[in-house]
Amino acid sequence: MKTGVIGKKVGMTHIFVKNEENNSVQQIPVTVIKVEPNFVLQIKDTKKDGYNAIQLGALKNKWYRGTKPVLLHVMTALGMSKEDIEKEIKKRISEKIFTFQILKEFKLDDVSQYNIGDSVDVSQFQKGDIVNVIGKSKGKGFQGVMKRHNFHGGPATHGSHLHRAPGSIGMCAWPSRVLPGKKMPGRMGSDKITVKKIPIIDVIPEKNVILVKGGIPGPTNAVVYIQK
Amino acid sequence: MSNLMKEIRNHYEKDLKKDLPEFNVGDSVKVWIRVVEGSKSRLQAFQGNVIRKKGKGIEATFTVRRVSMDVGVERTFPLLSPSVEKIEVLKRGKVRRSKLYYLRDRKGKSARIKELRKK
């Protein structure tokens, strides 16, 4: 992975893209992701930590106060001295001033170009880049096996009493237990889902917006991570 | 819908605005579509009644229904798509519904739409 950013899903629409060669027009479904500038808060390298990574902070939220350790971590990264930080934390705690809502580490191949306190934004992505988008899917609640695991279910008619039930869940006296990993009803959704290899259709730097092709997991306003 | 989403839609809609005639549900229209086959392109016409108009701005679509050889054919076009080159309004229709799905169940004489005459 070369780079990554934290963004927010804004919504979906479609755009028309013209092929210059033969003037054909394609209608492409896109998801709009808003990426406000992220800040590099920590850099990890192979010497010290055993792997290369950057930690980014995003989504300044004035209602989120943040715990003291988080505030300390963020302000050290942004280059404040110890005394200033203590003053600042006292002030912020009394006045409820923002800190970053999301801190996320991205494992990268090379971190030499990053410095602590740098801002990272949409400019590092270009039209045509292939990216992975990570998000948390919508929660579906407690669901049966047909919806959750795509079981076929039983016949609807002909006197059948087995409609949406899972059927047998195992063998008899041996092994007299249910095998681990057996697909059964339960909570569905709210999983971390990675959509791999989707192209970036357009980048609008003045609006801090990236358009990727197709859908991505999660509802509108969900936090998503884009990796290149 | 968030404001940002509106801005994004407007951003792409700007370049697409073209002079299309105003038409409503119930009108009889002829839609000319640019069809690209390999390196050649030609215009193809689809004529029928508008049975649905949907969406706003860049997402607006309309559906045209015609009965061809006793088989109902419906095509949905994105209103602002560059491949929709021209729309001709042939007849204005007088209808009392915004979606004419009832035409799907009708045949022959009862599937006609009254023409709107201006006083």
Side-chain angles (χ1 to χ4, degrees):
Chain A
M1 292 286 137
K2 276 182 205 154
T3 181
V5 285
I6 305 165
K8 225 174 185 186
K9 180 168 162 178
V10 182
M12 287 190 77
T13 182
H14 63 224
I15 62 171
F16 298 103
V17 174
K18 218 165 192 179
N19 186 344
E20 294 300 330
E21 277 175 28
N22 54 10
N23 275 334
S24 62
V25 178
Q26 244 190 324
Q27 181 187 0
I28 298 178
V30 291
T31 305
V32 181
I33 303 172
K34 187 174 190 187
V35 180
E36 279 180 340
N38 298 175
F39 288 91
V40 180
L41 300 177
Q42 198 179 355
I43 294 175
K44 297 189 172 179
D45 55 26
T46 32
K47 256 188 211 163
K48 210 167 65 195
D49 309 284
Y51 62 100
N52 285 329
I54 54 168
Q55 188 194 55
L56 295 179
L59 303 181
K60 283 177 176 174
N61 186 341
K62 65 180 171 183
W63 302 116
Y64 178 77
R65 200 173 67 187
T67 55
K68 206 170 169 183
V70 172
L71 284 173
L72 217 123
H73 173 67
V74 169
M75 284 173 201
T76 324
L78 296 178
M80 291 171 74
S81 74
K82 245 185 184 177
E83 289 166 11
D84 285 346
I85 288 173
E86 273 190 19
K87 260 191 218 166
E88 187 72 22
I89 286 180
K90 266 184 192 168
K91 195 181 140 205
R92 280 176 183 231
I93 286 176
S94 61
E95 291 179 17
K96 297 191 177 181
I97 297 178
F98 71 81
T99 181
F100 297 106
Q101 205 177 1
I102 303 282
L103 302 184
K104 163 86 179 165
E105 194 174 289
F106 289 92
K107 273 191 185 180
L108 305 180
D109 303 332
D110 183 24
V111 291
S112 56
Q113 52 170 324
Y114 295 100
N115 295 313
I116 289 177
D118 279 359
S119 87
V120 175
D121 57 7
V122 292
S123 60
Q124 47 185 341
F125 292 97
Q126 279 159 0
K127 214 170 159 177
D129 283 351
I130 303 293
V131 293
N132 293 348
V133 177
I134 302 167
K136 199 178 176 191
S137 64
K138 280 185 185 173
K140 307 284 181 201
F142 193 99
Q143 295 298 337
V145 285
M146 282 180 73
K147 190 182 173 90
R148 194 173 181 222
H149 298 299
N150 296 329
F151 281 18
H152 283 289
T157 54
H158 291 290
S160 164
H161 289 290
L162 182 129
H163 299 303
R164 300 183 64 92
S168 164
I169 57 167
M171 292 72 85
C172 192
W174 183 90
S176 19
R177 65 188 168 92
V178 177
L179 299 179
K182 179 73 204 147
K183 290 173 179 173
M184 288 212 213
R187 285 276 186 98
M188 186 184 168
S190 296
D191 298 323
K192 184 183 155 196
I193 307 269
T194 306
V195 188
K196 285 180 180 170
K197 290 185 180 172
I198 51 176
I200 289 180
I201 302 298
D202 210 349
V203 178
I204 313 176
E206 57 275 18
K207 290 199 171 86
N208 287 328
V209 151
I210 295 177
L211 308 187
V212 296
K213 186 176 177 182
I216 58 171
T220 304
N221 289 331
V223 175
V224 293
Y225 309 116
I226 310 172
Q227 285 184 335
K228 188 164 78 170
Chain B
M1 197 197 300
S2 68
N3 284 332
L4 180 64
M5 214 52 222
K6 270 183 197 165
E7 282 172 32
I8 303 288
R9 288 189 175 104
N10 290 338
H11 180 90
Y12 289 101
E13 199 186 317
K14 260 188 331 220
D15 319 330
L16 295 172
K17 287 244 164 94
K18 47 185 183 178
D19 302 327
L20 289 173
E22 256 193 41
F23 62 93
N24 289 317
V25 169
D27 292 355
S28 172
V29 293
K30 200 171 189 180
V31 187
W32 293 91
I33 316 127
R34 174 74 51 195
V35 180
V36 177
E37 289 156 340
S39 56
K40 280 183 200 165
S41 77
R42 63 188 169 83
L43 278 177
Q44 194 186 55
F46 190 81
Q47 189 180 329
N49 296 323
V50 180
I51 63 162
R52 163 172 64 190
K53 277 177 85 176
K54 195 181 148 191
K56 270 183 193 169
I58 197 169
E59 283 163 14
T61 62
F62 65 102
T63 302
V64 179
R65 176 183 170 87
R66 69 170 295 172
V67 178
S68 155
M69 298 163 93
D70 266 1
V71 179
V73 180
E74 285 176 18
R75 273 188 83 171
T76 303
F77 304 100
L79 187 63
L80 292 180
S81 168
S83 59
V84 174
E85 290 221 341
K86 202 167 62 173
I87 300 174
E88 281 176 53
V89 181
L90 308 173
K91 245 193 251 172
R92 301 276 176 192
K94 188 181 171 190
V95 290
R96 304 181 65 159
R97 243 143 277 271
S98 64
K99 308 276 190 288
L100 305 184
Y101 298 146
Y102 68 88
L103 286 179
R104 291 171 178 166
D105 303 328
R106 303 267 181 100
K107 249 180 154 183
K109 267 191 180 175
S110 63
R112 288 176 304 178
I113 298 172
K114 262 193 186 167
E115 197 175 342
L116 181 72
R117 302 206 185 271
K118 273 178 194 166
K119 279 172 190 170

